[in-house]
Amino acid sequence: MMIGALDAPRRQVDEIDYPLLWSVLILLFIGLVMVYSASIATAEGGRFTGHQPAYYLVRHGVFLCIGMVAAAVAFQVPISLWQRYAPYLFMAGVVLLAIVLIPGLGRDVNGARRWLPLGFANLQPSELMKMFAVLYAADYTVRKINVMHDLKQAFLPMFGAMAVVGMLLLKEPDFGAFVVIISIAMGILFLGGLKARLFALLICGLMIAFTVMIVVSPYRRDRVFGFMDPWADAFGRGYQLSHSLIAFGRGELFGVGLGASVEKLFYLPEAHTDFLLAVIAEELGFFGVVAVIALFALVVQRAFAIGRQCVQLDRLYPALVAMGMGIWFGVQSFINMGVNMGLLPTKGLTLPLMSFGGSGILANCVALAILLRVDWENRQLMRGGKL
C-alpha cells in the first residue's frame, strides 16, 4: 500500500509534457527576475510605490502565485466542460469589455480605458478575452464543421461576434489585443477547414480594414511614422523605439550584466511591461534574447504537436484549442518582440508569461494549464484509459 501510494504521484508527473512544462516554468522565472531588474528604478522613484525597490517584484510574485493556483484548478477541469461553457465564457468576456467603457467603472491610464479596479489589483478583460476567444472559436468551428465551405453559414456569424469584440476593444482603445484575437479566430477557422481561397480573401479584407483604421486615426498614424524612422523625432513619437534600439545596441552579444541596464533608469518607458525584452537584450545580450525566442518557439511547437496528436485521436475540439493556444502565444510574442526590435509599429502588448501584469499572468497560466490538460487526456486515451 505504501509503495503504491509513493508511486502514484510519480506516474502522474510522468504523464506531463516535460518540454512544454519546463519551457513555461523557465519563462516565468526569467520574467520574474527581469521584471525586478527592470522595475527597481521606477519603484524606488515612485510615490505610489512607497519608494520600495521590490514593489513590482512582490506584486509580480503574488500574481504568479495566484496564476499557479488558478492553473492547478483549471488543469482538473475536463476539456468537455470547457467546451460546454465556452459560449458563456465568451459572452462574459464581452460583458466585461463593455463594463470597462462605462465612466466611473473603467480605469483610465495614459488615455486608455482598459482596466477594472478591484482594489488590490486591476483586471484587464482583454487578457481574459484572448483565452475565451480560443475556447469559443474552437467550439464554434466544431459546431460548423460540416458547413465550413459556406461563407454565409461558417464565417458571417463569427464575423459578427468578432466585430462586437473589435468595436469594444477599439473604443478602449486596444488595437493590439484586437489583432491577437482576430488572429486567433481566423487561425482556428482556417485549421477547422475554411477554404484557402476564402481565407486569402478574408486576409486581404482584414489588411484593408487595418490600413483604414490606421489612416483615420491620428495616433496610429503617428506610431507608424515613428516606427518607420524613430530617429526623425527621437524625443517625440520615436522616443520609446529609439531607446529600445539603444538598449539592444548596448547589449551586444553577452549583455552588460544582470541589473546593469542604463535604459531602465527612466529612459525607456514601460521597461517592465511592454519593453521588457529590450532590458533583457541590454542586460543579457543577443544570446539572452535568442534563448527567450527559443523557449517561446518551443511552447508554440508543443502546442501544435499536442493539437496534431488530438487529430490522430479524433478529438477535434481539443485539437483546435491546443493549436489556438499556440496561435495566441505565437502571435502575441512575435508582435511584442517585433515592436521591441523595431520591426513592427509600437503597440501596447506585453510579452506573455514574462511582462508585469496580473491579468496577463493569470490568463497565460490558466491557458497553459488547459493545454497541459489536453495533452494529459491524450496520454490517457493512448494508454487505453478513460477520461
Side-chain angles (χ1 to χ4, degrees), residues 243-253 256 278 281-282:
H243 280 280
S244 179
L245 294 176
I246 290 171
F248 271 85
R250 291 192 74 248
E252 298 184 348
L253 286 178
V256 297
E282 187 178 2

Side-chain angles (χ1 to χ4, degrees), residues 30-73:
I30 296 174
L32 179 66
V33 173
M34 295 310 302
V35 163
Y36 180 43
S37 177
S39 65
I40 291 177
T42 304
E44 221 171 11
R47 292 182 179 178
F48 74 94
T49 63
H51 304 286
Q52 297 295 323
Y55 176 83
Y56 290 104
L57 171 66
V58 172
R59 290 177 68 83
H60 194 71
V62 171
F63 294 149
L64 276 178
C65 291
I66 294 173
M68 291 292 190
V69 171
V73 173

Side-chain angles (χ1 to χ4, degrees), residues 147-151 154-155 186 189-203:
V147 293
M148 288 304 291
H149 61 281
D150 191 307
L151 174 66
F155 177 73
M186 294 298 298
L189 284 177
F190 178 71
L191 293 169
L194 192 66
K195 283 187 175 181
R197 182 181 299 178
L198 179 57
F199 183 76
L201 290 173
L202 294 173
I203 291 296

Side-chain angles (χ1 to χ4, degrees), residues 305-316 319 323 378 382:
I306 291 169
R308 287 194 300 271
Q309 194 176 62
C310 288
V311 173
Q312 294 172 358
L313 295 170
D314 198 24
R315 304 181 68 217
L316 182 56
M323 295 183 185
N378 285 349
M382 287 189 294

Side-chain angles (χ1 to χ4, degrees), residues 91-360:
M91 288 188 288
V94 172
V95 171
L96 288 174
L97 289 176
I99 292 175
V100 166
L101 300 175
I102 299 176
L105 294 181
R107 182 187 176 192
D108 288 72
V109 178
N110 298 327
R113 184 179 295 172
R114 304 174 185 173
W115 298 268
L116 288 173
L118 302 178
F120 63 94
N122 295 316
L123 175 67
Q124 189 172 356
S126 60
E127 293 292 341
L128 299 178
M129 194 66 200
K130 295 169 189 173
M131 182 177 67
F132 297 160
V134 172
L135 299 172
Y136 173 72
D139 174 61
Y140 175 88
T141 303
V142 170
R143 287 187 281 111
K144 299 284 185 177
I145 194 67
N146 294 323
V147 293
M148 288 304 291
H149 61 281
D150 191 307
L151 174 66
K152 183 177 180 181
Q153 295 186 65
F155 177 73
L156 290 183
M158 176 61 78
F159 174 80
M162 291 299 110
V164 172
V165 172
M167 286 188 293
L168 293 172
L169 287 171
L170 293 175
K171 289 286 289 182
E172 292 185 4
D174 195 346
F175 187 70
F178 176 55
V179 171
V180 173
I181 290 173
I182 288 296
S183 299
I184 291 169
M186 294 298 298
I188 290 177
L189 284 177
F190 178 71
L191 293 169
L194 192 66
K195 283 187 175 181
R197 182 181 299 178
L198 179 57
F199 183 76
L201 290 173
L202 294 173
I203 291 296
C204 292
L206 285 173
M207 294 300 294
I208 294 171
F210 288 151
T211 302
V212 171
M213 283 188 283
I214 290 170
V215 170
V216 300
S217 174
Y219 90 92
R220 292 194 188 107
R221 281 202 312 270
D222 288 342
R223 285 192 170 187
V224 171
F225 290 138
F227 144 76
M228 294 172 65
D229 186 8
W231 309 107
D233 187 12
F235 293 98
R237 62 192 181 193
Y239 183 80
Q240 279 182 306
L241 180 54
S242 61
H243 280 280
S244 179
L245 294 176
I246 290 171
F248 271 85
R250 291 192 74 248
E252 298 184 348
L253 286 178
F254 301 102
V256 297
L258 185 62
S261 168
V262 171
E263 286 300 317
K264 70 184 181 184
L265 304 177
F266 302 103
Y267 293 104
L268 179 63
E270 310 298 337
H272 59 298
T273 54
D274 300 348
F275 283 88
L276 185 67
L277 188 69
V279 179
I280 294 174
E282 187 178 2
E283 296 190 350
L284 304 182
F286 171 79
F287 289 107
V289 173
V290 169
V292 170
I293 293 174
L295 287 168
F296 275 109
L298 182 57
V299 170
V300 174
Q301 185 272 330
R302 293 312 305 157
F304 276 86
I306 291 169
R308 287 194 300 271
Q309 194 176 62
C310 288
V311 173
Q312 294 172 358
L313 295 170
D314 198 24
R315 304 181 68 217
L316 182 56
Y317 178 75
L320 294 175
V321 167
M323 295 183 185
M325 298 297 185
I327 293 170
W328 170 14
F329 282 89
V331 169
Q332 183 164 336
S333 59
F334 175 79
I335 293 176
N336 179 273
M337 292 174 185
V339 167
N340 276 254
M341 298 178 190
L343 302 175
L344 295 172
T346 304
K347 289 309 308 164
L349 273 178
T350 56
L351 190 59
L353 298 169
M354 300 186 73
S355 293
F356 176 82
S359 301

